[in-house]
Amino acid sequence: MQCVTNKGAGAGLRERKKQATRAALSEAAVRLAAEHGAENVTVEAISNAAGVSPRTFFNYFDTHDDVFVMMDPDVGERVRRAIRDAPAELSPLDAVREAMAAELAEVELRHEVWSLRAKVFQKSPHLLARGLGLHMAEERDLARTIARRIDPDGHGGPDVHGGPGAPCEDADIELYPRLLAAVAGTAARVAIEHWYAHSPPLTFPEIFRDVFTHLSAGLPQPPAQTDGRPSDGRTTES
């Protein structure tokens, strides 16, 4: 048992180091691209700014563009795993909310980097298009996971990543899982944009949960608010 525990601790430390290196490369790339343009930033410059070798760069990213659009390629699988492991009594909407909230917590911590990344995408349409393609693939995989949670014995297809070119990739996914996956992605984007634009007196996780409160209520028109808070219909006593 002691050997297993030590091995797990070592694996956890190695994984944290890998995540730190990936984050350093992504941040260096975004900062350089925000100043010079993504097309004018080389792998060598990114690696040097992150304090690693170009050879190390390619241990984490297959191409130059990947460093901008794949800041954390494992996030989708972590969200899907959290949905699969969520308590059975949670509704699909609540399971998706809790899974995404756990992953989006770092948005607040890396506010500046995510904001710069959005500006880099605006100036580099090819990166935006590639990011959109990856987002659509992740959305399809999320829909498949939701479908399997709703009906484990149904026809939602295997709960695995099929890749952007998977044949008949949407034909076997029912409407509700596809809609919930799409809405969840939009909810995250709207929450991030609102937080960036207005800097309200709420943390990002609070805004994200307010967005899902609107969704859970069926999107009725909320009462007017005068204090800068998102209008979710809650009273100050609740």
Side-chain angles (χ1 to χ4, degrees):
M1 181 63 71
Q2 186 64 38
C3 292
V4 172
T5 301
N6 288 339
K7 182 178 179 180
L13 178 60
R14 287 194 297 272
E15 186 60 31
R16 288 195 296 273
K17 288 182 176 179
K18 289 173 59 178
Q19 291 174 354
T21 300
R22 177 183 288 278
L25 285 165
S26 294
E27 181 169 344
V30 167
R31 291 187 182 280
L32 289 170
E35 182 177 357
H36 304 291
E39 296 79 4
N40 301 316
V41 176
T42 65
V43 168
E44 288 74 15
I46 296 170
S47 303
N48 183 61
V52 301
S53 68
R55 183 174 181 178
T56 298
F57 176 97
F58 288 108
N59 288 336
Y60 292 88
F61 303 99
D62 291 336
T63 70
H64 166 274
D65 288 353
D66 284 347
V67 73
F68 302 104
V69 300
M70 298 182 67
M71 295 180 69
D72 186 351
D74 298 325
V75 64
E77 174 53 32
R78 290 197 299 269
V79 168
R80 294 191 294 273
R81 185 187 310 121
I83 293 171
R84 291 193 296 267
D85 296 341
E89 62 270 17
L90 285 185
S91 69
L93 181 65
D94 289 342
V96 170
R97 179 197 63 211
E98 294 304 314
M100 294 184 68
E103 289 298 329
L104 289 170
E106 79 163 53
V107 170
E108 194 159 26
L109 300 176
R110 302 183 70 191
H111 172 214
E112 182 186 7
V113 174
W114 283 98
S115 181
L116 288 175
R117 181 175 181 253
K119 295 177 181 178
V120 169
F121 274 26
Q122 290 174 357
K123 296 179 181 179
S124 302
H126 75 285
L127 292 179
L128 182 61
R130 182 165 184 179
L132 179 59
L134 290 172
H135 171 76
M136 292 177 66
E138 289 288 353
E139 183 180 294
R140 184 184 67 251
D141 291 340
L142 177 58
R144 197 177 297 280
T145 297
I146 294 169
R148 296 294 291 178
R149 177 180 172 85
I150 293 172
D151 185 6
D153 299 320
H155 301 287
D159 187 13
V160 295
H161 183 74
C168 301
E169 52 197 26
D170 291 331
D172 55 353
I173 305 176
E174 296 294 334
L175 177 61
Y176 178 83
R178 294 175 61 182
L179 178 60
L180 178 52
V183 168
T186 299
R189 177 179 59 79
V190 169
I192 292 171
E193 290 176 352
H194 182 82
W195 184 60
Y196 282 168
H198 299 286
S199 298
L202 291 176
T203 65
F204 172 74
E206 287 176 318
I207 294 174
F208 180 75
R209 291 181 183 280
D210 278 339
V211 170
F212 269 80
T213 297
H214 285 298
L215 295 177
S216 297
L219 292 179
Q221 180 174 336
Q225 297 287 315
T226 59
D227 59 359
R229 289 178 56 88
S231 301
D232 62 5
R234 295 179 298 181
T235 64
T236 56
E237 290 81 9
S238 60

